[in-house]
Amino acid sequence: MKRHLRTALTAATAVVLTAALAAPALAAPSDGGHDATRQAVRAAVADGVPGVTMTVRRGHGTWAATAGVGNTQTGKPRSTADHYRVASITKTFVATVVLQLEAEGKLSLDDKVEKWLPGLVRGNGHDGRKVTLRQLLNHTSRIYDYLDDTGFQQKYMTADGFMKHRYDEASPEELLAFAMANEPYPESGESFNYSNTNYILAARVIEKATGSDDYGDEIDRRIIAPLKLTSTSVPTTRVTLPRPSSRAYSKLAKTDTGPTYDVTELNPRLAYGSGQMVSSSADLTRFYSALLRGRLLPPEQLKKMKTTVPSSRDTSRYGLGLVDRKLSCGVHVWGHDGGISGSNSDAVTTEDGRHSLAVNFNGDWSGSTDAIIEAEFCGK
């Protein structure tokens, strides 16, 4: 799930953040060389982010840093071990499981969605008989994003709607109904249209292909347990975050003004396979490093995952749940970002998996994770 809202902090919150900026909590580096990254982390808080937590993994060493606050009321700092909602980073986990199933001969990327989910993708021009699993994973399906539906936005993404419905539970079919009520995106070029609906469907395909009651069970068994990602989970309807964690803040609006809301508690099931997971920066660096180093997929499937199409950004291309991003210094990093109410995250690694970064903001309206990535990998 992706949502990026930018605006200024309220005056009361800004007072707390000013104190935090005066003495940012930055962990000492294990191997040095992170001065530009430190400055970028501080700049994000100066720009209005309540707090930042991040981890860098390079070779066998790690470096972690925090700045700002995890609670604007108490001034409690963020922790380098914070759990947070990773939103669309979930998509890489889902795509990895689909590719594992292909390697096992349980499905093909060329299978039509209709084969696995008969009759589910129909209405207003949508037709699951014409969409492949590959097109779901690289967002070329043209299937409408349920988050773009005005009814969904009004019910769940406005301030009044969020406060009333933040604990709601909706089935995947109910979420898909929001998408099917709209026409597919028009064809243009490679027809890339980022759509969270694609990964609702991909998660359902995992369940059908494995017989699991929940796609999250497959992520647990195939990725979380083998990599010992002890801070990573696919919560079902748990509305709170595991400890340690920080509060999460949002404007719940598309304007640059207005109050700041504590949105820490919410039902992540509304994101399902498009953005339901919780993790930590340390776990995310471990995951992406393992993925790019071939620990989770055979070479053939990893090659397919890294086969990209042009995305909506000139500096990046989209593979199968994996983004290839070209930085200003020419370095390529692979990973994914994610935004959900109160949380913006980014996790990337170099192609050899030896240099990884994961960062989280506990506010969704300000700051730039791009600047932190540029600082770490390009030194600026």
Side-chain angles (χ1 to χ4, degrees):
M1 184 178 283
K2 289 173 70 70
R3 292 183 66 242
H4 297 283
L5 305 175
R6 300 180 62 87
T7 187
L9 284 172
T10 57
T13 302
V15 170
V16 178
L17 296 184
T18 300
L21 272 172
L26 287 167
S30 60
D31 58 349
H34 300 284
D35 288 347
T37 310
R38 261 191 268 249
Q39 293 173 15
V41 169
R42 290 191 182 103
V45 176
D47 192 38
V49 173
V52 181
T53 184
M54 65 169 297
T55 296
V56 171
R57 182 181 299 271
R58 185 184 294 172
H60 298 293
T62 60
W63 174 75
T66 67
V69 296
N71 186 315
T72 59
Q73 297 299 312
T74 67
K76 180 181 177 181
R78 295 210 65 178
S79 166
T80 57
D82 266 357
H83 296 77
Y84 50 82
R85 304 189 193 282
V86 303
S88 285
I89 290 172
T90 301
K91 292 178 173 67
T92 311
F93 287 81
V94 170
T96 300
V97 172
V98 172
L99 286 161
Q100 288 177 342
L101 293 172
E102 188 202 44
E104 295 163 10
K106 294 180 179 178
L107 55 74
S108 167
L109 293 181
D110 294 323
D111 287 344
K112 297 296 194 292
V113 173
E114 182 75 8
K115 174 181 178 178
W116 295 101
L117 307 172
L120 199 56
V121 180
R122 295 287 177 85
N124 291 306
H126 288 98
D127 189 346
R129 295 169 297 184
K130 300 179 180 179
V131 177
T132 66
L133 302 188
R134 180 182 284 103
Q135 289 173 312
L136 294 182
L137 298 184
N138 67 11
H139 295 295
T140 60
S141 71
R142 298 178 49 230
I143 295 174
Y144 193 84
D145 188 347
Y146 75 101
L147 293 189
D148 285 345
D149 178 79
T150 54
F152 183 91
Q153 292 179 353
Q154 184 66 32
K155 185 173 183 178
Y156 295 111
M157 297 165 74
T158 62
D160 289 344
F162 179 88
M163 292 304 175
K164 184 177 180 180
H165 297 286
R166 67 196 299 176
Y167 304 125
D168 282 7
E169 180 177 359
S171 69
E173 286 71 24
E174 289 175 304
L175 299 176
L176 290 169
F178 285 104
M180 296 302 108
N182 298 272
E183 294 181 357
Y185 294 115
E187 288 193 65
S188 59
E190 293 284 344
S191 294
F192 175 90
N193 291 280
Y194 191 93
S195 174
N196 290 280
T197 310
N198 289 324
Y199 278 77
I200 300 289
L201 293 164
R204 293 292 283 142
V205 168
I206 289 172
E207 293 164 355
K208 294 292 185 179
T210 61
S212 296
D213 292 332
D214 194 298
Y215 78 96
D217 294 339
E218 295 298 315
I219 291 177
D220 284 339
R221 183 172 70 84
R222 294 167 174 271
I223 301 175
I224 294 175
L227 295 183
K228 296 180 173 60
L229 304 180
T230 56
S231 296
T232 303
S233 63
V234 189
T236 51
T237 57
R238 174 176 174 167
V239 300
T240 58
L241 288 168
R243 295 183 180 180
S245 59
S246 294
R247 307 305 294 177
Y249 300 98
S250 178
K251 294 296 183 180
L252 294 175
K254 296 181 179 180
T255 63
D256 292 338
T257 58
T260 301
Y261 299 93
D262 186 322
V263 296
T264 310
E265 295 184 1
L266 57 84
N267 188 341
R269 201 67 168 177
L270 289 173
Y272 209 67
S274 72
Q276 190 175 344
M277 293 180 66
V278 168
S279 191
S280 68
S281 294
D283 272 12
L284 290 178
T285 60
R286 188 178 300 118
F287 165 64
Y288 278 103
S289 177
L291 178 63
L292 270 294
R293 296 178 81 169
R295 290 184 56 193
L296 294 171
L297 293 173
E300 179 183 353
Q301 276 67 40
L302 184 56
K303 181 179 179 180
K304 290 180 179 180
M305 187 178 229
K306 292 165 64 180
T307 300
T308 60
V309 297
S311 76
S312 54
R313 295 177 61 178
D314 292 338
T315 56
S316 65
R317 294 175 62 90
Y318 203 95
L320 304 184
L322 192 67
V323 179
D324 173 17
R325 190 182 313 184
K326 183 179 180 181
L327 304 181
S328 62
C329 56
V331 171
H332 282 255
V333 291
W334 296 80
H336 213 291
D337 65 341
I340 194 169
S341 297
S343 178
N344 274 343
S345 307
D346 220 327
V348 296
T349 190
T350 50
E351 191 164 19
D352 61 5
R354 294 187 58 80
H355 188 180
S356 308
L357 173 153
V359 58
N360 172 260
F361 297 166
N362 63 333
D364 61 20
W365 65 87
S366 183
S368 171
T369 56
D370 286 344
I372 293 173
I373 292 169
E374 285 278 342
E376 175 61 28
F377 291 92
C378 297
K380 59 182 179 182

